[in-house]
Amino acid sequence: MVSALPRVVVAAPASGHGKTTVATGLMAALARRGLEVSGHKVGPDYIDPGYHALATGRPGRNLDPHLVGVERIVPLLLHGSRTPRAADVAVVEGVMGLFDGQIGGDGFASTAHVATLTDTPVVLVVDISSASRTIGAVVAGLAGFDPGVRVAGVILNKAGSPRHAEEVRRAVAATGIPVLGVLGRDDHIVAPSRHLGLVPAAERADAATALDRLADQVAERVDLDAVLEIARSAPPLDAPAWDPTAEVRGPGAGAAARPRVAVAGGRAFTFTYAETTELLAAAGCEVVVVDPTHDQRLPDDVQGIYLGGGFPEVHAAALSRNAALREDLRAAVAAGVPTVAECAGLLYLTETLDHAPMVGAVAATAAMSPRLTLAYRSATSTEPTLLGRPGETVTGHEFHRTRVEPAAGGTPAWVLEPTASHPRTADGFAGPTLHASYLHVHWAGHPHLAQRFADAAAAATAYRRSPGSPGALGTSGRGTSGSRELPEVPRPEVAPADPLRHHGDVETSDATGRPLVDLAVNTYDGPPPPWLADALRASLEDAGAYPDAGRVRAAQAATARHHSRADDEVLAVAGLAEAFTLVARARAWRHPVVVHPQFTEPDVALRAAGHTVHHVLTHASENFALDPSRVPEEADLVVVGNPTNPTGRVHPAATLRALTRPGRLVVVDEAFMDSVPDRRHTLADAPVPGLLVLRSLTKLWGIPGVRAGYVLGEPAVLAELRAVQTPWSVSAAAIAALHACVGPDAVAEAARRTGELAAWRLVLTRGLDELGVHHVPGGAPFVLARPGAGVRDALRADGLAVRRADTFPGLDASWVRIAARRPATTRRLLSALGVLDLRVPDLGVPDLGAAARP
């Protein structure tokens, strides 16, 4: 059967060049033209097809020769292009570099392999941010490497300027391959990443908005007519479309009602191939999607359960909190309802995941692992199980950063055959009605697995929960599986004797001195980088002498160059606590104002210097935004944090500049600004008259004991601070740290740590969202949340320390500040929160300013 299908493959020289961005943008831009667009992905990846589905309004499809066999690639492409409607054009996103495929397979399952199998022209996406004319050589090399692959056009990505783009365009023109468009840098259309790649579209509230921006940009900067012309140049395909009804048996004429199969979906289970449910439907099953983070019960009369892939480790708190469905699933599996679980499904069926209670249907525990497992595998059945038969082999892939202990039961689901980098291992747990393993198998390549599951479901007794069970109608499911409820009226927190001098470091142990898991102190969760540790050790050689003034000046000069400042616009200080003391002592302030809630050391320093402090409060109802008009005109000193501690609010630079006026000094505490990915609102690099910027090395570099920081501002103002500074206050270690933390090593490491902190913060905020815990939007490496009064004590009893917030003027005991930590630590916190009854009767914040003022 000959079929005409306009189509194009979007490929790149390597990962990271922007394939997903451009491919998804092309799909969205073409769909906006009124075309029906079919989206496909080379390889086993589930995440990119989610973005394709958002762009096209139809399921994203995978084309992977390893998983389904080379003979099914064209049929699956044609099926995807016709389901649910006939497509006008197919866009196929590649994987990794154009010729990168299965290790040791000479390009098998690569983008080039799929392009050859489907006779599809290739459009290259090339990141040109770090090169110019060399891009021409890269394109020429890729185009000439394999005569069977036709590179028909190039899209230049991440151009730095029109001049830069034109230089590259001329170089590519020499190859004879047309440049179809040029995209500049636009961080607003880059999908965020985490431990297994991009964050799925289903988990991004901003995904549709980002897609609109991307479609606008691609439509404006890429020649869509030229892309369509290339797609239409693809020759007809001589093959039948894949048909699920031809792969499995449907129910017979005398069959009873269709067996009902529950398939996990929602934010925690986003990895299921579209063909899986199509095969089940073709085999006579009624597929019902269940969201394990929200749905309280399985469908009535369920006869089969399919738990596919996803991110249960990210959503562990919500999964754990839904005790009703966990118990319903456990009972159903125990009752013999045929159940298939792959990767995420396996984790969900274990007893615990990073200490969070899970279903408990499999006698194992799961936890995050530092090692990524990513590999194509062949797997063999050794026993008759729900899916397998002795000696049968299937192909699949592993993709996870977790581990299960034990890794397999007495009857493993599969024995994974060895590869160059993986030994032969038993994987998973199986029996007549259960098949749970890490291996992802594309059932379109092994339709007999779908048939066996459907047959087992049809033969199974429909599951009916017992009356009064947690999942039964009329029961809430709350309070089961170890949940604890706080008292209706929690006992009040015992306030510190001097709240303004209270800091998070005192919260990291209990009354007996036992250390707690630290989510209270806002320093990076990890040791200093080696180059910084070496510099600090070397500074001990200078410990026998007073700190050298020349070295201090040299460190200040290096810091000035880092911020494009003059040498006399930097003053080194022994941490920001000293900086606040210098500011407080520098002048006889008439009306000093501190914007709250914020770090309380400015209050302490001003009070110690004999000043009466005035507060301007920001409010939760406005997400703690600062209105400059609320600052009294008579204020001659204004202190504000950016991002503010503890709210995490990043104030626009324009708002802070608006605070300045003649006769007033504005002090902006940027202790956490170098931990914020978006640096648009820093004032460190742009001198503003009447404004001081304070920077700390404590937070991002994790060296609070060194006491190192600096002040940026006008030379005359810094001279006033220097005049009241204690001699030799900046130690030899602090001098060494200043030098090291503005060097080239620091720039690269700072970018890495900042990205890591943003990813850690995302795990925390998404977990809080799923638990319904109110928190303040922001960009800092910590989160101000309002889980309710008494929660901090309950967490301490669980061995977890979060920072109390009632010592900040404007906040009460229902608030806590939570530091961004590594995901495993955060998930432990979320799991602890998940079993508490979080009661916050009123999300408004009372104005506590008058009572809190010293």
Side-chain angles (χ1 to χ4, degrees):
M1 180 178 180
V2 177
S3 302
L5 174 64
R7 59 195 182 277
V8 65
V9 166
V10 179
S15 295
H17 280 244
K19 289 190 303 293
T20 300
T21 300
V22 173
T24 306
L26 282 173
M27 294 176 197
L30 292 171
R32 278 189 175 187
R33 282 194 166 192
L35 297 173
E36 190 73 41
V37 183
S38 179
H40 305 260
K41 170 69 179 179
V42 177
D45 180 25
Y46 300 89
I47 300 176
D48 294 347
Y51 287 93
H52 301 171
L54 190 65
T56 65
R58 53 197 287 154
R61 307 278 179 167
N62 294 76
L63 301 172
D64 190 312
H66 171 79
L67 296 183
V68 301
V70 295
E71 72 281 2
R72 288 189 178 91
I73 295 301
V74 170
L76 284 169
L77 172 62
L78 290 171
H79 169 72
S81 70
R82 297 175 183 179
T83 309
R85 298 168 299 277
D88 299 304
V89 61
V91 178
V92 181
E93 180 192 339
V95 62
M96 299 186 292
L98 176 57
F99 297 101
D100 301 327
Q102 189 171 356
I103 297 297
D106 295 327
F108 182 84
S110 67
T111 303
H113 187 201
V114 171
T116 302
L117 290 172
T118 60
D119 206 357
T120 303
V122 172
V123 170
L124 282 176
V125 177
V126 185
D127 179 349
I128 66 171
S129 60
S130 300
S132 56
R133 278 186 54 78
T134 302
I135 300 300
V138 171
V139 171
L142 290 170
F145 185 77
D146 183 347
V149 177
R150 178 164 69 96
V151 176
V154 180
I155 295 174
L156 308 180
N157 193 25
K158 301 183 184 178
S161 67
R163 182 181 177 188
H164 173 214
E166 185 57 31
E167 179 79 1
V168 179
R169 188 190 292 271
R170 288 198 303 270
V172 174
T175 69
I177 300 172
V179 173
L180 306 175
V182 179
L183 299 173
R185 297 188 182 95
D186 184 355
D187 289 338
H188 298 296
I189 60 170
V190 176
S193 298
R194 61 173 176 231
H195 63 289
L196 291 180
L198 297 181
V199 175
E203 297 185 34
R204 292 187 60 196
D206 66 333
T209 302
L211 184 62
D212 284 340
R213 288 195 300 266
L214 178 53
D216 287 341
Q217 190 177 43
V218 169
E220 176 185 347
R221 302 185 186 181
V222 175
D223 187 343
L224 296 181
D225 290 329
V227 172
L228 286 171
E229 185 178 350
I230 291 171
R232 290 168 182 150
S233 73
L237 295 168
D238 187 5
W242 182 81
D243 181 0
T245 63
E247 301 285 348
V248 293
R249 300 184 310 275
R258 302 168 67 197
R260 181 170 290 180
V261 173
V263 174
R267 293 160 65 94
F269 290 89
T270 55
F271 296 4
T272 299
Y273 293 119
E275 293 82 1
T276 295
T277 52
E278 289 170 352
L279 283 166
L280 291 177
C285 298
E286 177 192 353
V287 175
V288 181
V289 177
V290 175
D291 184 348
T293 63
H294 292 102
D295 292 333
Q296 294 284 300
R297 50 181 288 174
L298 289 170
D300 290 333
D301 299 327
V302 68
Q303 290 175 254
I305 299 167
Y306 180 89
L307 307 171
F311 288 108
E313 64 271 28
V314 174
H315 305 281
L319 293 171
S320 182
R321 186 166 188 171
N322 191 356
L325 184 65
R326 287 194 289 110
E327 176 58 27
D328 212 16
L329 271 167
R330 187 200 62 74
V333 174
V337 174
T339 301
V340 173
E342 289 188 345
C343 200
L346 167 65
L347 301 180
Y348 187 39
L349 291 183
T350 62
E351 295 169 345
T352 60
L353 172 54
D354 276 337
H355 306 288
M358 292 289 115
V359 172
V362 170
T365 59
M368 287 294 292
S369 166
R371 178 175 175 270
L372 172 65
T373 299
L374 173 60
Y376 281 136
R377 303 302 294 266
S378 292
T380 302
S381 294
T382 58
E383 303 286 342
T385 66
L386 173 61
L387 295 186
R389 301 296 182 265
E392 283 186 347
T393 298
V394 299
T395 54
H397 72 104
E398 286 189 276
F399 183 42
H400 57 90
R401 200 185 288 271
T402 55
R403 66 181 185 276
V404 169
E405 295 291 343
T411 300
W414 306 109
V415 171
L416 304 179
E417 299 302 332
T419 67
S421 55
H422 296 84
R424 190 175 194 266
T425 54
D427 173 56
F429 306 79
T433 61
L434 174 68
H435 199 279
S437 81
Y438 266 125
L439 192 70
H440 294 283
V441 180
H442 197 317
W443 282 6
H446 305 279
H448 61 282
L449 302 183
Q451 186 71 67
R452 286 172 185 164
F453 178 63
D455 289 346
T461 301
Y463 169 67
R464 292 181 174 85
R465 64 192 56 79
S466 58
S469 66
L473 291 175
T475 63
S476 68
R478 294 297 303 272
T480 63
S481 297
S483 67
R484 298 189 305 277
E485 294 192 356
L486 297 178
E488 286 286 350
V489 182
R491 66 176 180 80
E493 303 264 5
V494 178
D498 188 348
L500 296 179
R501 289 185 178 272
H502 180 85
H503 298 295
D505 58 313
V506 303
E507 307 219 29
T508 58
S509 60
D510 64 13
T512 67
R514 176 177 65 103
L516 305 176
V517 176
D518 178 15
L519 295 105
V521 177
N522 286 330
T523 55
Y524 178 81
D525 186 12
W531 47 264
L532 178 54
D534 290 344
L536 293 175
R537 281 190 290 268
S539 72
L540 294 177
E541 296 180 5
D542 301 322
Y546 288 102
D548 181 76
R551 292 189 176 183
V552 174
R553 287 192 295 272
Q556 292 175 163
T559 304
R561 288 192 297 273
H562 179 68
H563 290 288
S564 302
R565 296 262 197 164
D567 290 2
D568 57 358
E569 291 181 343
V570 180
L571 173 66
V573 292
L576 296 199
E578 185 193 26
F580 291 126
T581 298
L582 299 182
V583 169
R585 295 173 58 199
R587 298 180 189 173
W589 304 107
R590 300 183 307 277
H591 196 98
V593 166
V594 179
V595 177
H596 275 292
Q598 85 139 23
F599 186 50
T600 54
E601 278 303 312
D603 283 82
V604 172
L606 287 164
R607 187 175 60 178
H611 303 296
T612 299
V613 184
H614 304 270
H615 290 172
V616 169
L617 289 178
T618 58
H619 301 284
S621 60
E622 301 168 346
N623 284 327
F624 298 99
L626 172 61
D627 181 355
S629 67
R630 292 180 183 171
V631 177
E633 281 296 323
E634 61 269 25
D636 53 350
L637 172 68
V638 179
V639 183
V640 60
N642 199 38
T644 301
N645 172 18
T647 67
R649 177 73 192 217
V650 180
H651 301 293
T655 298
L656 301 178
R657 284 194 292 267
L659 292 172
T660 61
R661 54 198 23 59
R664 174 186 290 177
L665 181 65
V666 177
V667 177
V668 180
D669 174 5
E670 288 194 358
F672 294 99
M673 185 59 80
D674 53 2
S675 300
V676 176
D678 184 355
R679 294 176 50 81
R680 289 177 298 166
H681 301 300
T682 179
L683 294 167
D685 304 331
V688 178
L691 188 144
L692 289 181
V693 176
L694 278 53
R695 283 294 187 99
S696 169
L697 305 187
T698 295
K699 315 303 181 185
L700 185 64
W701 303 113
I703 51 171
V706 175
R707 310 308 308 139
Y710 53 93
V711 182
L712 302 163
E714 296 171 282
V717 178
L718 295 187
E720 293 180 71
L721 303 187
R722 193 175 286 108
V724 295
Q725 188 174 30
T726 303
W728 310 297
S729 67
V730 182
S731 68
I735 295 169
L738 279 171
H739 261 298
C741 291
V742 296
D745 288 337
V747 173
E749 177 64 12
R752 188 195 70 79
R753 291 190 173 206
T754 299
E756 195 170 46
L757 285 167
W760 295 352
R761 188 183 195 278
L762 190 64
V763 173
L764 174 59
T765 56
R766 289 190 184 282
L768 294 174
D769 286 340
E770 289 188 334
L771 294 175
V773 176
H774 176 74
H775 61 88
V776 180
F782 52 83
V783 173
L784 181 66
R786 198 177 193 198
V791 168
R792 173 177 163 270
D793 281 346
L795 292 175
R796 290 180 68 81
D798 257 359
L800 298 159
V802 295
R803 169 67 155 89
R804 68 187 303 159
D806 59 344
T807 61
F808 295 101
L811 299 178
D812 61 24
S814 66
W815 296 89
V816 295
R817 189 193 71 197
I818 308 170
R821 292 291 189 253
R822 298 178 187 277
T825 303
T826 298
R827 280 188 286 272
R828 179 174 172 186
L829 168 77
L830 294 171
S831 297
L833 284 171
V835 296
L836 297 175
D837 186 14
L838 305 174
R839 297 181 180 179
V840 185
D842 179 10
L843 288 180
V845 180
D847 187 332
L848 304 180
R853 292 186 186 111

